[in-house]
Amino acid sequence: MARLLMQCLGQAGHSVEVASSLRSFLRDADDAAGHAEIMAQAEQERARLTGLWTRNGPPDLWFCYHPYYKAPDLIGPSLCAAFDVPYVTAEASYSARRNRGLWVPFQAQVLDCIHQAAVNICMTERDHAGLSQAAPTARFARLPPFIDTGVFTAQEPAPKPAHLITVAMMRAGDKMDSYTRLAAALRRVERDDWHLSVVGDGALRAEVQALFSEFPPDRITWHGQLSSPDIAALFAQSALYLWPGCGEAYGLAYLEAQAAGLPVVAYDTAGVPEVIADGITGILTPFGDDSAYADAISFMLNNEGDRRRMAQAAAERVRQTHSMPAAVAELSGILRPILTGTS
């Protein structure tokens, strides 16, 4: 999303530069040495940029993507205050339950930058609600998640009947949970003519494959990691995109699949409803309910008219709401008053 935002700003006519490569990431809340090193590096970066801005002039705006409890912005807020530069965040995150150890001062940094920002851009209503509760006097704007649809709309859909596809990394945590739930649901699907393409790789590939080991080998194709054009080619041949979405912030892969004309079956959880319209571009089922998820898959496999209707609606909704042109227009509207001093 950070790369997409930079692309979006560029298409909106702005010149975008990465101001610093400092990684302010503190994995362990009790890592005193790591915290001290990060703070020292941040001080050096502030000094470097202060000199650069003094000589060449400051930028028109500082744009910070995703400051949160493990990785706050330790550079931008103080520089923007000193040079009177507007400060903007996108997808900032704050959770009071993370207030422990050395994350406490990091949390304070995040909260300060949210309050300082000329606007905090929220990608989901869920994020907006959380931030506005933590910082009720801060300023907020909504920007729907978006993608560059080009590669995913280049091919005309030619779906094979009952051909399913999922695209996801194979790692511990929410991704593994989703693979576990997907395998459990597919065991309940009564039709036996479906075929699943799995795109993705990772440290838990063997464990993921073991989850599906009871299915006949010809029912599942393991593609490994693929490029976007290769994924788009598979989308064009597929009829339905499956991914439960445990813990998903929103899931850009959902948008990519829908842009290619694929309806989605996912859980009604976390940020997933932000990118899938239930009954319109796919079906959302209760979190963790394997039977309901299997029923939704079966419904889509057995009702081609509904599948086609949702496929068309999915592609159109991404084009109208979640595409790069839509984001350029929306983001320009958010930033224009800040840059012109009329906010």
Side-chain angles (χ1 to χ4, degrees), residues 147-171:
I147 59 169
D148 186 346
T149 60
V151 68
F152 301 103
T153 58
Q155 300 188 53
E156 188 70 23
K160 300 175 181 177
H163 197 108
L164 317 172
I165 187 169
T166 192
V167 180
M169 296 175 64
M170 298 175 180
R171 65 186 184 198

Side-chain angles (χ1 to χ4, degrees), residues 128-162:
H128 180 214
L131 289 184
S132 58
Q133 182 177 6
T137 61
R139 295 164 289 271
F140 302 100
R142 285 289 309 278
L143 175 67
F146 64 95
I147 59 169
D148 186 346
T149 60
V151 68
F152 301 103
T153 58
Q155 300 188 53
E156 188 70 23
K160 300 175 181 177

Side-chain angles (χ1 to χ4, degrees), residues 76-152:
S78 60
L79 283 172
C80 288
F83 286 86
D84 195 25
V85 170
Y87 182 80
V88 171
T89 76
E91 210 167 344
S93 176
Y94 182 87
S95 174
R97 65 189 178 91
R98 302 297 186 179
N99 281 325
R100 66 180 183 86
L102 291 167
W103 288 339
V104 172
F106 273 15
Q107 284 269 77
Q109 290 272 359
V110 172
L111 202 55
D112 285 346
C113 83
I114 292 169
H115 280 115
Q116 179 180 338
V119 68
N120 297 279
I121 298 170
C122 301
M123 314 297 281
T124 67
E125 182 54 38
R126 182 172 173 237
D127 286 347
H128 180 214
L131 289 184
S132 58
Q133 182 177 6
T137 61
R139 295 164 289 271
F140 302 100
R142 285 289 309 278
L143 175 67
F146 64 95
I147 59 169
D148 186 346
T149 60
V151 68
F152 301 103

Side-chain angles (χ1 to χ4, degrees), residues 212-284:
F212 297 84
S213 60
E214 67 184 73
F215 297 108
D218 61 350
R219 299 288 294 279
I220 301 176
T221 301
W222 302 93
H223 293 273
Q225 187 173 348
L226 296 177
S227 66
S228 292
D230 288 338
I231 293 172
L234 283 176
F235 281 164
Q237 302 170 22
S238 302
L240 186 63
Y241 185 84
L242 304 182
W243 187 242
C246 301
E248 290 284 358
Y250 37 81
L252 292 180
Y254 289 133
L255 293 178
E256 294 168 352
Q258 290 176 93
L262 283 175
V264 175
V265 178
Y267 282 161
D268 186 3
T269 186
V272 176
E274 300 282 345
V275 294
I276 301 166
D278 186 30
I280 299 173
T281 70
I283 299 178
L284 299 178

Side-chain angles (χ1 to χ4, degrees), residues 19-23 35-53 55 62 74-76 78-79:
S20 174
S21 59
L22 171 67
R23 188 168 187 255
H35 180 267
E37 176 63 21
I38 290 170
M39 298 305 288
Q41 291 177 4
E43 184 175 354
Q44 292 173 0
E45 282 294 271
R46 287 194 298 269
R48 179 184 68 82
L49 288 169
T50 296
L52 182 66
W53 291 10
R55 292 190 301 272
W62 181 281
L74 302 174
I75 304 172
S78 60
L79 283 172

Side-chain angles (χ1 to χ4, degrees), residues 177-189 211-212 214-215 267 288-291 293-294 297:
D177 290 345
S178 281
Y179 274 117
T180 301
R181 299 269 56 87
L182 177 59
L186 285 173
R187 295 186 195 104
R188 296 170 175 260
V189 175
L211 292 172
F212 297 84
E214 67 184 73
F215 297 108
Y267 282 161
D289 189 333
D290 298 338
S291 180
Y293 197 83
I297 297 172

